[in-house]
Structure formats: C-alpha cells, structure tokens
Amino acid sequence: MTGLSDSFQRPINYLRISVTDRCNLRCIYCLPPGGVRLLSHGEILTYEEIHTIARAAAELGINKIRLTGGEPLVRSGLPELIQMLAQIEAIDDISLTTNGTLLSHYAAELKQAGLRRVNVSLDTLKQDKFEFITRLGNNLGQVLEGIEVAKAVGLNPVKLNMVVMSGVNDDELLDFAGKTIAEDWHVRFIELMPVTGEGSTAPKFVSAGEMRQRLELLGELEPCLPSIGNGPAKYFRLPHAKGTVGFITPVSEHFCFRCNRLRLTADGKLRPCLLSDYEIDLKQPLRSGISSAGLKQLFEEAVANKPLRHHLAEGYVPKERPFSQVGG
Ligand code: SAM
C-alpha cells in the first residue's frame, strides 16, 4: 500500500459512500422545495459493486469509510454491507451519518456487523420545529431514542450534528450546549451552506463566530482535542461539561487545506470535492468489467483532480446535485 495524496500533497484516506439518494425526511437545508428526481433501482450501485470499489480504494490507502445518504438506514440490508466492508483488512474505521429516525431499530445489528460509531443529525429539540425543518417528520422522539440506543450498544462517541439557521433553530443553541454540560453529548454546530433553488424562503446563515459568542453566556469555551479522528470540527468544552461542543465552518473558515476525503455517490460517481461538480463515473466501467487496476487508475485520476478549495465565498455552489445525493 503506497497511500494516496493529491496534487497539493494532501493525504487522502477517507471515503464517504452515499448508499441511497432516498430519505424519509425532507430537510429544508438539504432538499429544494420542489424535491429532486430520484434514482431508479438499476441506477444505484449494488452492495457488491460498493464492496468492489471499497476494496480497490483500500488497496490505494483508504482506511476510513463513512456511510451516508439520502438516509442510509432506509436502504434495506445495510448491516450486510457493513459486514462486507468490515472484512476488508485495511479498513479500520466504518462510521455512519443518519437522521436517527430508524436508529433504535438497527443500532445493535449495525454494531454487530462492524460499525464503529455514528453521527446523528439533530437540528432541534422541539417537536413542532422538527416537523418544520424536516418538512414532514413527526418522529423527534424516535431520533432521541435512537441516540440513546446507539450509545447503549457502544456506537460511541455518538456525535450530534446541528445545522444552525437564523430564525429557525438558532434560539436553541444554548439548549444544545446545555446538554453537553449535563450529559455526555457531543454536539457539532454546522454553518449552513447555501442550497440552490430556495429563493427568498431559503434558511439563513449564522457564522460560527456568532454562535461562539452566544455560547459564551454559559461560560468560557476551553479548546479540547477531538474524542476521535481529525475531522473538520474544532472542539471545546464548557466549564465542568461532560460532553463537548464543536464548530464546523465550511463558510466562514474553510478547512479544504486539510481535506482528506473522496465521495462516492449512490449512482457510482466519485467526487473529490463536495462543493464542486467534477466527478468521475465508476459504475459504467464496473458494469463493463473494468479490472481492479483500472478502477484504481480512476481513483488516482479523481485524486489528481481534487480542487485546492471550494469557492462558496465567491458565490459558487454546485449545480448538478443537492446534498441529499452526495451525502453532505
Ligand atoms: N440522512 C443523513 C442525515 O440526516 O444525517 C445523511 C445525509 S445528510 C445529507 C448528511 C449531513 O449533511 C447532515 O448532517 C447535514 O449536516 C449536512 N447538510 C446537508 N445540507 C447541508 C447544508 N445546506 N449546510 C450544511 N450542512 C448540510
């Protein structure tokens, strides 16, 4: 194994795999109001195809995989895929990003299959607001239960991701931070990235700087190391807190210079950057019988073309796919 690195000497060892574009929620920051065209069954990579791609990636130096969606738990048999991926020797960390609605049902099976840990999207602690943000969900209780079951079966640390939106859920910043004091909650506050096609009803941005100022009402934020990994969040602890708060700042302070990721869409496109439309198709070559060496060459091509940084600050947003298709 040689290890992958891009044209800017960034080591690439992390693959985020979107296993489906389907979701049982319709979050206002993720999906345009008119919805999106859904992929047909035949357009989506099979678990065997995902496994073949992951094996080639692992031979090139990928050792971390995160499964995402759409909502990954709406695709049936996800534990089977995890079991297949866990058998790839070089893969030492498999994690999942989920909206949590189905987590209590699957957590034990996922853990047993080889899943290490889970991130749960949780944008509010209020039922009416949950329905507003998700455009349909009436299952906030199930998400909270899912978080507890995930902790109980050992999918730790369970990290909670809150996309903070002005006038929507920013009034709950202190409630979420308060949870990290009393309980071992690890909450990451994420800056809203602009979504295409929302017009004047689009949710509005709050900078991490402003979030931090508001949280300091609860006490000084003491910097701390992440409990695991070296992702994009910067972590802090409030005085005497059991858990941590983190800030993810794709807009106010991009972290592209240490990006170690590639993304695989549900329909088999390899994307070196979430926020660029550049992608390489793996599905057609796979279905035409490409060799493992050929697959690895396509990975190397994608890595060689990984952009230095995104251009959100200059107003560039990807046009081809909403985050629901790329996995966020
Ligand atoms: N369904 C799963 C979930 O809800 O976690 C996985 C897919 S979802 C697209 C993954 C993540 O994308 C969410 O946690 C959310 O933080 C992030 N995301 C989606 N749209 C975003 C936006 N406009 N700005 C910031 N983060 C966004």
Side-chain angles (χ1 to χ4, degrees), residues 16 23 29-30 68-72 97-99 119-121 161 163 190-195 250 323-324 327-328:
R16 289 173 73 103
C23 189
Y29 53 78
C30 192
T68 173
E71 170 48 41
T97 297
T98 171
N99 63 30
N119 289 0
V120 181
S121 298
N161 289 336
V163 176
I190 301 179
E191 284 180 347
L192 173 75
M193 291 182 271
V195 203
F323 292 142
S324 66

Side-chain angles (χ1 to χ4, degrees), residues 102-112 115 146 149-150 153 155:
L102 301 169
L103 191 55
S104 64
H105 184 70
Y106 287 112
E109 215 184 320
L110 294 167
K111 171 75 181 166
Q112 208 177 16
L115 189 74
V149 176
V153 303
L155 289 169

